[in-house]
């Protein structure tokens, strides 16, 4: 008790920032009383304040259960800082409800990429009264970061606190930065660029930050700005900013690695692929688990590594490494990363070739992995590029039937994945197979309606297609689909319109309240003059032009063509340019109409060489029982033209 009293008196005289003195005082007390719980707890707190987390955990491991129960917050925080997030989250979740422990639990869940759990914890903390002055600001910053990660990694917007930035988000550079990240996840890159510039301006104008801290924060904002400029297609601006930003000075290892990747991408068009490969792999590996990027960031870096290997013509190495990775995965899968690695694997086997050469190289790989979606989509794309639409459709239909025959529930989720169903519908639409489109969407809607979180976009498309059917069963199913969608979002006017269209004839009493939610027809046609439209008549569209005729005509060539000068040595003898050339000049001399033989023998020979003359006789079999008529031809044995005429007369 005396030791505890002396320690308490010393702590009252010591400044809170003087943690070394507190640690020495606690050690002095523990020399006299080794099992003093108060001194042990003070020592743990001092070690945590000094960032000596491993020493703090050793003190807790040597202490008893009372000390560990008393220092739960310090233990979970030390575990979190050392990258032991699973253990930190487990201890914090099992400990009695304390606001500080919930903060540590949320941070550990955030690093474990359990963003839905993190969002729930921060939502619960936001409803409670803060215990410290700046806790509300920190909570707002962390909640904004969680919203961005929740949309970025999974696209889940159900638990997102804010889907649009407001005025409060632009008051501090941290909240503005998180708001910009949220805009990036939604594809609003113009808005993200503006907000990042706002965050830069706020950070630059702060007076309560040191120049070093300010420079570190501005580096992170600039690194994110490079990515936004790349997505906006401003490659030159991104490259210029990357040259101005000292990315190597970033203290956060994951941010530095991602920024180096984006900086290299900005100059990849002018960068030698072998030099880019060396720069990419020159980055030091993370020294601890806390230095690793998030999972979705690591996946992108891994794919970039494979792509750089392909650019360096390391086809065999990429094919082997990606095949090993894919052999460890469960196929088929809806994972975008695994399927993209499969596409890279296909490119490696095809040596980056397209067309028939690429198809020939990838088909044997598909036979070995018949349930690989990445290979399937690659082959379909290659078939489409070669205008072989029928084979592409047959390949996808065969794959779908194979999955339908499977008994694994996971395979059925892949079979009716919205992306694959959308691809099938698009291919059917190219072929004009409307009935098959309706059947496919009907099957997919029937499958997903029994699931807890059905894809709304697929159900909307299925309902719209089923409305075009004349069968009562399809209209009834469309009504049920739109009714389910209306329960999810009662204010969606598109869903309300679909529900009205499905029930306007069979069940008009159900749509009385919903009709009032739509814009009245008189308001829609308020600015339209029906009489003027009727008087103007129906415009007649011109016939569709062919691809060649629809092209723009080139300007008329006003320059006179230059005449080609022919040498005199190539002109015929006695050539007169004013006289037209003889049309029979290409015929042999004796076949020309102007040919006149010389002498009696020559004239007699010409009489026997009538063009087309054949010796003997020819019989024509006449129909109708008229028998056979014999027609004598001119012989080769002489005679005159008069005799020939007499013979011809006898044949009649």
């Amino acid at each position: 008790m005396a030791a505890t009293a002396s320690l308490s008196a010393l702590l009252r005289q010591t400044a809170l920032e003087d943690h070394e003195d507190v640690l020495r005082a606690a050690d002095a007390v523990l020399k006299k009383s080794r099992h003093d719980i108060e001194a042990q707890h003070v020592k743990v707190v001092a070690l945590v304040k000094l960032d000596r987390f491993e020493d703090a955990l050793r003190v807790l491991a040597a202490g008893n259960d009372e000390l560990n129960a008393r220092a739960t917050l310090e233990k979970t925080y030390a575990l979190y800082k050392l990258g032991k997030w699973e253990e930190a989250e487990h201890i914090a979740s099992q400990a009695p409800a304390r606001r500080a422990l919930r903060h540590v639990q949320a941070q550990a869940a955030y690093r474990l990429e359990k963003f839905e759990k993190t969002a729930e914890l921060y939502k619960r903390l936001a409803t409670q009264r803060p215990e410290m002055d700046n806790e509300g600001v920190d909570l707002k910053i962390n909640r904004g970061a969680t919203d961005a990660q929740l949309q970025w990694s999974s696209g889940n917007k159900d638990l997102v606190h804010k889907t649009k930035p407001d005025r409060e988000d632009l008051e501090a550079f941290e909240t503005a930065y998180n708001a910009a990240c949220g805009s990036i996840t939604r594809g609003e890159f113009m808005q993200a660029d503006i907000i990042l510039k706002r965050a830069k301006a706020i950070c630059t104008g702060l007076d309560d930050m040191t120049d070093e801290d300010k420079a570190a924060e501005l580096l992170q904002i600039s690194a994110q700005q490079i990515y936004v400029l790349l997505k906006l297609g401003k490659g030159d601006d991104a490259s210029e900013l990357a040259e101005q930003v000292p990315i190597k000075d970033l203290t956060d290892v994951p941010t530095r690695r991602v920024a180096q990747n984006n900086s290299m991408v900005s100059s990849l068009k002018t960068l030698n692929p072998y030099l880019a490969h060396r720069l990419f792999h020159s980055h030091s590996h993370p020294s601890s688990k806390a230095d690793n990027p998030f999972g979705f960031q690591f996946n992108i870096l891994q794919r970039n590594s494979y792509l750089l290997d392909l650019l360096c013509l390391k086809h065999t190495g990429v094919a082997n490494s990606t095949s090993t990775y894919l052999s460890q995965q469960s196929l088929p899968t809806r994972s975008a990363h695994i399927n993209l690695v499969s596409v890279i694997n296909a490119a490696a086997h095809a040596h980056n070739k397209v067309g028939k050469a690429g198809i020939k190289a990838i088909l044997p790989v598909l036979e070995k992995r018949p349930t690989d979606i990445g290979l399937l989509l690659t082959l379909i794309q290659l078939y489409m590029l070669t205008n072989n639409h029928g084979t592409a459709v047959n390949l996808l239909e065969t794959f779908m039937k194979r999955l339908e025959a499977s008994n694994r529930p996971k395979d059925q989720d892949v079979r009716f994945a919205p992306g694959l169903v959308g691809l099938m519908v698009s291919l059917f639409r190219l072929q004009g197979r409307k009935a098959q489109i309706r059947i496919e969407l009907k099957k997919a809607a029937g499958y997903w309606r029994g699931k807890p979180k059905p894809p709304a976009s697929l159900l909307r498309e299925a309902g719209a297609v089923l409305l075009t059917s004349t069968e009562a069963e399809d209209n009834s199913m469309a009504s049920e689909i739109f009714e389910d969608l209306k329960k999810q979002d009662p204010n969606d006017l598109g869903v309300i319109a679909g529900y009205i269209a499905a029930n306007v004839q069979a069940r008009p009493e159900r749509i009385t309240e919903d009709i009032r939610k739509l814009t009245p027809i008189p308001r829609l046609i308020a600015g339209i003059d029906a009489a003027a439209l009727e008087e103007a008549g129906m415009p007649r569209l011109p016939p569709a032009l062919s691809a060649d005729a629809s092209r723009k005509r080139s300007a008329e060539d006003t320059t006179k063509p230059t005449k080609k000068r022919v040498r005199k040595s190539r002109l015929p003898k006695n050539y007169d340019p004013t006289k037209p050339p003889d049309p029979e000049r290409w015929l042999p001399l004796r076949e020309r109409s102007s040919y006149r033989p010389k002498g009696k023998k020559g004239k007699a020979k010409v009489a026997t060489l009538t063009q087309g003359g054949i010796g003997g006789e020819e019989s024509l079999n006449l129909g109708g029982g008229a028998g056979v008529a014999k027609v004598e031809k001119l012989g080769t044995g002489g005679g005159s033209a008069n005799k020939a005429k007499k013979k011809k007369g006898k044949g009649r």
Side-chain angles (χ1 to χ4, degrees):
M1 291 295 294
T4 303
S6 62
L7 178 61
S8 301
L10 180 61
L11 291 176
R12 283 195 298 270
Q13 299 174 3
T14 307
L16 292 177
E17 290 78 14
D18 196 1
H19 305 299
E20 291 286 353
D21 292 340
V22 174
L23 180 60
R24 283 192 291 269
D27 287 336
V29 173
L30 289 174
K31 286 181 180 180
K32 299 178 182 179
S33 179
R34 207 169 116 188
H35 300 289
D36 193 322
I37 299 298
E38 183 73 22
Q40 289 176 343
H41 189 197
V42 170
K43 182 177 181 178
V44 170
V45 173
L47 290 172
V48 171
K49 292 285 188 180
L50 294 170
D51 294 341
R52 295 168 58 179
F53 305 112
E54 293 181 355
D55 294 338
L57 291 178
R58 277 194 288 269
V59 173
L60 289 171
N64 54 20
D65 295 340
E66 183 181 356
L67 174 63
N68 282 269
R70 194 171 186 179
T72 305
L73 175 62
E74 291 79 7
K75 184 176 182 178
T76 54
Y77 185 75
L79 291 170
Y80 165 76
K81 295 296 289 185
L82 290 174
K84 300 178 180 180
W85 305 313
E86 296 88 349
E87 190 176 354
E89 187 200 17
H90 176 71
I91 294 175
S93 62
Q94 299 297 323
R98 289 176 56 188
R99 190 172 180 84
L101 280 173
R102 296 289 84 82
H103 276 286
V104 178
Q105 182 184 358
Q107 289 286 351
Y110 182 85
R111 288 300 305 177
L112 289 171
E113 301 184 38
K114 298 179 180 179
F115 301 121
E116 295 183 0
K117 179 66 175 178
T118 307
E120 292 177 359
L121 289 170
Y122 281 135
K123 183 178 180 180
R124 196 182 311 161
L125 288 170
T127 59
Q128 301 172 1
R129 184 177 180 180
E131 296 179 354
M132 300 179 65
D133 295 337
N134 296 328
E135 185 183 355
V137 178
D138 293 339
L139 183 61
K140 185 186 299 183
I141 295 171
N142 293 340
R143 200 172 184 186
T146 304
D147 287 346
Q149 293 284 21
L150 193 63
Q151 298 176 82
W152 211 326
S153 60
S154 62
N156 190 347
K157 298 181 180 180
D158 296 337
L159 297 175
V160 174
H161 174 53
K162 289 183 179 179
T163 56
K164 290 184 180 180
D166 53 18
R167 186 179 296 274
E168 293 182 356
D169 295 328
L170 304 180
E171 294 178 354
F173 77 91
E174 298 96 339
T175 55
Y177 178 81
N178 290 334
C181 292
S183 299
I184 292 172
T185 61
R186 296 186 295 271
E188 301 168 354
F189 298 107
M190 289 292 295
Q191 185 182 73
D193 188 27
I194 296 173
I195 298 177
L196 285 174
K197 292 178 181 178
R198 170 67 177 170
K200 261 188 174 181
I202 297 174
C203 184
T204 305
L206 289 177
D207 297 330
D208 55 347
M209 288 182 66
T210 63
D211 293 339
E212 294 180 357
D213 294 341
K214 194 180 296 184
E217 296 294 345
L218 289 173
L219 274 177
Q220 293 201 18
I221 298 173
S222 299
Q224 193 69 283
Q225 209 168 8
I226 293 173
Y227 174 78
V228 172
L229 291 173
L230 286 173
K231 298 299 289 185
L232 287 173
K234 300 179 180 180
D236 296 337
D237 296 341
S239 180
E240 182 181 353
L241 181 60
E243 293 177 357
Q244 299 174 358
V245 175
I247 296 177
K248 294 182 179 180
D249 296 340
L250 280 167
T251 56
D252 188 61
V253 178
T255 305
R256 182 170 68 244
R257 191 176 179 188
V258 172
Q260 287 173 337
N261 176 83
N262 294 342
S263 176
M264 187 182 65
V265 171
S266 65
S267 58
L268 193 59
K269 293 182 179 179
T270 58
L271 192 63
N272 185 291
Y274 297 95
L275 180 59
H277 185 276
R278 184 170 67 84
L279 291 175
F280 183 85
H281 291 282
S282 64
H283 305 153
S284 58
H285 294 285
S287 57
S288 64
K289 188 178 179 181
D291 294 337
N292 286 325
F294 288 102
F296 67 94
Q297 293 174 330
F298 176 80
N299 292 339
I300 296 174
L301 293 173
Q302 184 185 23
R303 295 197 297 269
N304 286 349
S305 176
Y306 289 142
L307 293 175
L308 285 174
D309 289 342
L310 287 179
L311 290 176
C312 294
L313 306 181
K314 298 183 178 181
H315 301 123
T316 305
V318 175
N320 293 335
S321 58
T322 52
S323 296
T324 303
Y325 174 80
L326 292 171
S327 64
Q328 300 170 356
Q329 311 302 322
S330 177
L331 300 177
T333 178
R334 296 172 63 188
S335 171
H337 172 64
I338 296 175
N339 291 324
L340 285 173
V341 171
S342 179
V343 173
I344 296 173
N345 177 261
H349 279 95
H351 290 194
N352 295 340
K353 296 179 182 178
V354 295
K356 294 182 179 179
I359 294 172
K360 185 177 179 181
I362 299 174
L363 276 175
V365 186
L366 184 64
E367 293 178 359
K368 296 178 181 179
R369 300 200 304 268
T371 57
D372 193 327
I373 295 181
L375 289 178
L376 173 78
L377 297 180
T378 304
L379 277 173
I380 290 175
Q381 180 67 19
L382 293 178
Y383 279 127
M384 296 298 292
L385 291 176
T386 56
N387 292 326
N388 198 345
H389 300 172
T391 307
V393 174
N394 293 336
L395 187 65
L396 185 57
E397 285 182 322
T398 303
F399 180 81
M400 294 293 203
K401 291 178 181 177
R402 186 183 298 115
L403 292 183
E404 286 182 2
S406 176
N407 296 325
R408 298 172 55 191
K410 183 179 178 182
D411 292 350
Q412 299 304 314
D413 290 345
V414 176
R415 161 63 182 88
F416 295 105
L420 285 180
V421 174
L423 176 61
M424 179 72 84
V425 169
S426 299
L427 293 176
F428 284 154
R429 189 169 285 122
L430 284 175
Q431 296 182 330
R433 300 166 63 179
K434 297 182 179 180
Q436 294 297 327
I437 292 175
R438 185 172 65 254
I439 293 172
E440 178 65 23
L441 288 174
K442 185 177 180 180
K443 288 166 61 177
Y447 176 79
W448 286 112
R449 286 182 63 199
K451 300 293 180 178
K453 292 183 179 180
S457 59
L458 188 145
L459 294 180
R460 286 174 67 114
E461 184 67 19
V465 171
L466 290 174
L467 283 177
T468 62
S469 175
T470 57
E471 297 182 6
E473 181 183 356
D474 293 343
N475 290 330
S476 177
M477 186 174 182
S479 174
E480 295 174 0
I481 289 174
F482 284 115
E483 186 175 3
D484 295 340
L485 292 173
K486 194 174 68 166
K487 292 178 181 178
Q488 297 178 11
D489 188 359
N491 299 322
D492 192 332
L493 296 181
V495 173
I496 294 174
Y499 181 73
I500 292 173
N503 294 278
V504 66
Q505 294 182 352
R507 293 168 291 274
E509 67 279 357
R510 294 187 179 182
I511 61 176
T512 306
E513 296 294 332
D514 294 320
I515 291 179
R516 299 174 183 174
K517 298 179 182 180
L518 298 180
T519 306
I521 295 178
R523 189 186 303 174
L524 292 175
I525 62 174
I528 299 176
D529 190 349
L533 289 175
E534 186 177 1
E535 184 179 355
M538 180 70 69
R540 179 175 294 179
L541 298 177
L545 299 176
S546 63
D548 295 334
S550 62
R551 294 174 182 170
K552 291 184 178 180
R553 293 183 300 171
S554 58
E556 295 183 0
D557 191 4
T558 57
T559 60
K560 296 182 179 180
T562 58
K563 294 183 178 180
K564 188 176 181 181
R565 186 175 181 180
V566 183
R567 297 178 184 177
K568 290 184 179 181
S569 60
R570 294 183 177 273
L571 295 175
K573 190 177 180 180
N574 301 326
Y575 172 73
D576 188 357
T578 60
K579 295 181 180 180
D582 185 8
E584 297 181 352
R585 64 187 183 277
W586 306 112
L587 297 175
L589 186 62
R590 59 186 175 184
E591 293 182 9
R592 300 179 188 179
S593 60
S594 60
Y595 175 66
R596 295 292 181 270
K598 297 179 182 180
K600 294 181 179 181
K601 291 184 179 181
K603 294 179 180 179
K605 190 175 182 179
V606 170
T608 63
L609 294 177
T610 304
Q611 189 173 1
I614 302 175
E617 56 183 29
E618 181 180 347
S619 62
L620 299 178
N621 192 1
L622 304 178
V628 177
K630 293 184 179 180
V631 180
E632 294 183 357
K633 297 283 183 163
L634 293 178
T636 59
S640 63
N642 293 330
K643 291 182 179 180
K645 290 180 180 178
K646 289 180 181 179
K647 289 181 180 179
K648 198 170 183 179
K650 289 180 180 179
R652 293 178 183 176

